[in-house]
Amino acid sequence: MPKTKALAAASHSEKPSRKPAVRSASAVNRRLRQIENKRSAILGAALGLFSRFGLHGTSIDQVAARADVSKSNLLYYFANKEELYVNVLRDLLALWLEPLRDFSAEQDPREAIGDYIRRKLVISRDRPDASRLFCLEMIQGAPLLRDELDRELRTLVEKKSEVIRAWVEAGKLAPVDPPHLIFALWAITQHYADFGVQVQALSGHTLDDEGFFERTVENVQRIVLQGIEPR
């Protein structure tokens, strides 16, 4: 066989073996995206229902219908309602704690705490259902989140308390007990989500009102920062 024909034949024979590999990788990536999208849809639907009706007031059928999946499909991703609930709570805890993780002793505390207040109020504005569900779980004694609180949350608060103590020792903050400062920051920022109906009834506004949101950030920052600035 002439050399050119042999090369052409070899090239032609190799093509079918390469194409399936490319298609397979693309199919795998597409499948992974579909799985993640469906899982996210289920978690989002569950959050909306759990935050309104709680664990016991919500059924798997309701979550499946809201997520637009079959019940059997939902149970492929989560074995039961309790597992789904715990996964929702874990996602909320990660979201809730993310702004606190950024605290470092090298930062200016006024800038760090001021930015933290804004970011937490953004979460209260954009994810009020997340804050309400977390609050509901705490009120009930955190029966399904106790391990995460005793491990991850405690470790993070202890670590960031050391950052706050370093700021105090450096004269950058007034003497303050770090855990109580963190508790106060949680309480004041989450109030606008957990008691959003009360806020709207008394002020006539919600955090969705851009002007009201900015005034809220400004006032909460002023109240907190003036209270902890060095004397």
Side-chain angles (χ1 to χ4, degrees), residues 44-231:
L47 171 58
L49 291 166
F50 287 144
S51 65
R52 291 184 61 195
F53 307 112
L55 173 63
H56 301 297
T58 300
S59 70
I60 285 289
D61 292 294
Q62 288 174 314
V63 177
R66 184 161 181 164
D68 195 25
V69 300
S70 67
K71 180 178 179 180
S72 60
N73 195 211
L74 187 154
L75 293 174
Y76 170 81
Y77 292 94
F78 304 98
N80 50 54
K81 185 171 67 170
E82 287 70 23
E83 181 180 315
L84 174 59
Y85 184 76
V86 169
N87 274 270
V88 170
L89 288 173
R90 284 173 177 163
D91 281 0
L92 297 186
L93 190 60
L95 172 72
W96 194 51
L97 294 179
E98 183 180 356
L100 184 61
R101 296 184 194 281
D102 292 340
F103 274 23
S104 68
E106 294 73 27
Q107 291 176 294
D108 176 85
R110 290 183 60 86
E111 292 181 4
I113 295 172
D115 180 63
Y116 177 81
I117 289 169
R118 175 175 288 276
R119 292 174 66 184
K120 282 295 270 66
L121 285 169
V122 166
I123 294 174
S124 288
R125 179 193 65 195
D126 297 346
R127 302 291 300 277
D129 49 356
S131 183
R132 286 193 292 266
L133 179 57
F134 195 88
C135 179
L136 180 62
E137 177 68 9
M138 295 304 101
I139 290 172
Q140 295 174 344
L144 297 178
L145 203 62
R146 175 65 67 178
D147 288 344
E148 280 76 7
L149 295 181
D150 287 342
R151 294 196 308 267
E152 182 179 5
L153 184 57
R154 179 188 294 273
T155 299
L156 180 61
V157 169
E158 289 175 348
K159 184 176 180 180
K160 298 310 173 180
S161 290
E162 289 303 315
V163 172
I164 296 172
R165 289 190 186 94
W167 287 337
V168 171
E169 291 171 2
K172 297 178 180 180
L173 287 182
V176 61
D177 190 4
H180 290 290
L181 174 58
I182 294 172
F183 298 157
L185 291 172
W186 288 346
I188 195 170
T189 54
Q190 287 176 239
H191 175 88
Y192 292 89
D194 301 340
F195 293 88
V197 172
Q198 182 187 69
V199 171
Q200 184 177 15
L202 297 178
S203 69
H205 300 282
T206 71
L207 292 183
D208 289 327
D209 179 328
E210 184 176 354
F212 181 72
F213 175 80
E214 291 299 332
R215 291 195 299 275
T216 300
V217 172
E218 179 185 345
N219 278 278
V220 173
Q221 287 175 336
R222 183 185 304 115
I223 291 167
V224 172
L225 295 176
Q226 287 184 356
I228 59 176
E229 65 184 7
R231 300 294 187 268

